[in-house]
Amino acid sequence: MKKLAFILLLCYCHTLSAQDNNRMQWWREARFGMFIHWGVYAQLAGVYDGHEINKAGEWIMNRGKIPVAAYREQAAAHFNPVKYNPDEWVRMAKDAGMKYIVITAKHHDGFALFHSNASKWNIVDATPYGKDLLLPLAAACKKYNIKLGFYYSQAQDWNNPGGAVSRKVTSEGWPNPDSAKIDAYTKEHDGHWDPAQETATFAQYIDKVAVPQVREILSNYGDVAVLWWDTPTNMTDDAAQKLQALLKLQPNIITNDRLKRPNFPGDTKTPEQRIPKKGEMEGADWETCMTMNGTWGFKRNDNKWKSDTTLIRNLIDIVSKGGNYLLNVGPKPDGTFPEQSVHSLKAIGNWMKVNGEAIYGTHESELAPPTWGRITAKGNYLYLSVFDWPQNGKLEIPGTKIISAQLLADGKKLITNDMTINLPAKTPDGIAAVIKVQIKR
């Protein structure tokens, strides 16, 4: 009997693994997605009451210790994104070579980009715009065959009563003369700075806001590919279980590891603003999320833009180590993308149109990362993304037997000799020229 039970358990585990692999297949092949951080915080654009708030963007309410009533008046009451064009957004993502989009359905300020019956603090009831932002985005994603995912801040909520707060000292935002008084208050009140935030318990917030809102976004917008939890501040197993139970509404959904650690690991790990070392994430599905500049949400004075070269090489580096790249855009309050984001998306798209074969459906190579670039693999092929073109015109690939090699840029066949490829004098792409190499296994 014990032997039979063990065999049945093995069969059950094998079935679960097969189901998980089927569910994860599109995500593992996609490799590249767009993160969108958007909300009423874009209206403030990093400035409150004449003060530029450090580390702000989507965190401006917390960093600036803005009272609930003032935040609603200065941010939501003026938020009217009349230039919002979700069709254009999705086309830009598709043209950039992205396969999925994850948007902040609700960030830590508790504001919902969708019409919610669980809280009036949403785009329809709290702003002059008065229309659900997610419905037309879902339609556009379906039109262009882009997977749609939702970010949802399940624990932190600085507006809906009872929501958790990650405590930040006042000086992190700006040199407020009342810092000592405010910091003493937040220390005594679990990070809260406004009595309006504490008129309900965390358990009540979970039951009355988080659970019904997650049910809404999983029920009202068609197929939801990803649910991206964030910051499990004060989360309990009981609260996490209530939210986890809702996933049955979308049986094929993929979730990350931020619902509650360590008991709710989800499907993917989420290194933020960094690229792991080779082997660091071995055996795991993982996704690096990263900004184009210094902030997630729109901040008018943030001009620390990454170059097109950096963004493209980041993508290659991440995929060469077995991960996905979730690259962020922080739209402006009128609903348009910042000009630099649009420029970079076009540049990435131009590279992907030629070299996407080296990204989609590829995986980590067994070879060590070379000094001249990165390597991705698929079947009996290696894709050599060359950042630094060898001056001697030769590329050595130790530990391989090369059958053939060609440039993706023009299809030109290259002369090979065992482990060596003879290259043209000049690179066809100064950012990353890709050579497709067939090898003997």
Side-chain angles (χ1 to χ4, degrees):
M1 183 62 74
K2 287 183 179 180
K3 184 177 180 180
L4 176 60
F6 179 69
I7 293 173
L8 291 174
L9 178 61
L10 286 177
C11 292
Y12 174 70
C13 292
H14 175 75
T15 302
L16 280 180
S17 178
Q19 289 173 345
D20 285 343
N21 283 331
N22 289 336
R23 184 168 53 85
M24 295 296 297
Q25 183 176 356
W26 75 263
W27 188 92
R28 291 168 179 162
E29 293 179 353
R31 291 305 183 203
F32 191 26
M34 177 183 284
F35 218 177
I36 300 176
H37 276 69
W38 198 35
V40 294
Y41 43 79
Q43 189 67 39
L44 299 179
V47 177
Y48 170 66
D49 202 21
H51 302 284
E52 184 167 351
I53 309 299
N54 298 323
K55 303 178 182 178
E58 74 291 347
W59 273 79
I60 190 169
M61 185 182 181
N62 189 325
R63 303 282 185 184
K65 299 297 179 286
I66 306 174
V68 169
Y71 187 74
R72 294 188 176 206
E73 172 57 32
Q74 296 194 28
H78 301 282
F79 187 66
N80 192 20
V82 293
K83 294 183 179 179
Y84 173 54
N85 186 339
D87 194 275
E88 187 176 48
W89 283 17
V90 177
R91 277 192 288 109
M92 281 193 283
K94 188 177 183 70
D95 289 347
M98 293 159 162
K99 298 294 186 180
Y100 60 107
I101 289 173
V102 178
I103 188 170
T104 51
K106 188 196 83 165
H107 206 272
H108 304 327
D109 66 352
F111 181 80
L113 298 187
F114 56 98
H115 190 212
S116 175
N117 292 321
S119 169
K120 295 292 185 183
W121 183 229
N122 69 75
I123 185 68
V124 175
D125 296 316
T127 76
Y129 187 71
K131 292 178 286 187
D132 191 306
L133 294 167
L134 300 187
L135 280 171
L137 182 64
C141 284
K142 185 176 181 180
K143 175 182 175 180
Y144 291 104
N145 195 30
I146 296 292
K147 299 280 189 181
L148 177 61
F150 295 135
Y151 167 115
Y152 187 85
S153 176
Q154 75 279 9
Q156 281 207 78
D157 191 316
W158 309 326
N159 268 275
N160 289 299
V165 172
S166 178
R167 181 175 180 260
K168 305 294 180 184
V169 295
T170 308
S171 60
E172 289 189 20
W174 65 285
N176 190 322
D178 295 325
S179 291
K181 180 180 178 181
I182 295 171
D183 289 345
Y185 186 93
T186 60
K187 186 176 182 180
E188 291 295 323
H189 292 263
D190 292 324
H192 297 96
W193 61 88
D194 186 333
Q197 298 168 319
E198 298 182 275
T199 57
T201 66
F202 182 71
Q204 289 171 328
Y205 157 76
I206 290 292
D207 289 341
K208 293 182 178 181
V209 179
V211 168
Q213 283 193 336
V214 171
R215 183 180 290 111
E216 287 172 338
I217 62 176
L218 295 183
S219 302
N220 299 337
Y221 300 93
D223 291 335
V224 180
V226 174
L227 186 52
W228 216 96
W229 308 112
D230 199 19
T231 63
T233 306
N234 291 355
M235 278 296 286
T236 63
D237 282 350
D238 179 64
Q241 187 57 55
K242 289 177 180 179
L243 294 166
Q244 180 98 332
L246 297 171
L247 300 181
K248 66 181 181 229
L249 296 169
Q250 297 277 347
N252 295 317
I253 202 165
I254 293 169
T255 63
N256 67 0
D257 59 346
R258 299 190 182 192
L259 176 57
K260 183 184 182 296
R261 298 183 178 103
N263 298 346
F264 296 82
D267 302 299
T268 63
K269 293 187 179 299
T270 53
E272 182 170 329
Q273 298 283 47
R274 70 180 186 90
I275 300 176
K277 296 178 181 178
K278 184 176 176 66
E280 182 182 339
M281 295 288 180
E282 188 172 358
D285 289 301
W286 60 276
E287 172 186 73
T288 282
C289 56
M290 193 173 286
T291 54
M292 285 191 180
N293 54 354
T295 53
W296 298 97
F298 177 70
K299 185 178 181 182
R300 69 180 66 137
N301 295 325
D302 181 1
N303 295 309
K304 299 177 181 177
W305 295 98
K306 297 176 179 69
S307 69
D308 299 337
T309 296
T310 295
L311 294 173
I312 292 169
R313 290 183 178 182
N314 280 349
L315 170 62
I316 298 166
D317 188 19
I318 289 165
V319 176
S320 77
K321 295 169 181 173
N324 283 19
Y325 191 26
L326 191 61
L327 183 61
N328 184 71
V329 175
K332 296 189 288 188
D334 65 1
T336 61
F337 283 3
E339 290 181 11
Q340 185 61 42
S341 295
V342 174
H343 170 87
S344 291
L345 289 171
K346 288 180 179 178
I348 297 169
N350 289 336
W351 187 88
M352 289 288 281
K353 284 180 178 67
V354 175
N355 303 294
E357 185 181 343
I359 301 298
Y360 304 129
T362 62
H363 56 83
E364 182 177 10
S365 164
E366 297 174 357
L367 302 175
T371 57
W372 43 257
R374 293 293 181 267
I375 302 173
T376 54
K378 185 191 303 180
N380 289 332
Y381 290 92
L382 298 178
Y383 295 89
L384 318 179
S385 293
V386 185
F387 302 163
D388 300 312
W389 202 250
Q391 292 184 351
N392 65 0
K394 297 184 182 297
L395 209 59
E396 301 284 342
I397 316 297
T400 63
K401 173 67 176 178
I402 297 174
I403 298 174
S404 65
Q406 68 180 99
L407 288 165
L408 287 188
D410 56 13
K412 181 180 179 180
K413 301 286 186 180
L414 302 177
I415 297 174
T416 65
N417 181 20
D418 290 332
M419 296 183 291
T420 304
I421 304 172
N422 296 313
L423 302 176
K426 294 183 179 180
T427 175
D429 191 317
I431 293 178
V434 180
I435 303 167
K436 181 180 180 179
V437 179
Q438 185 179 10
I439 60 173
K440 184 176 180 180
R441 288 287 183 184

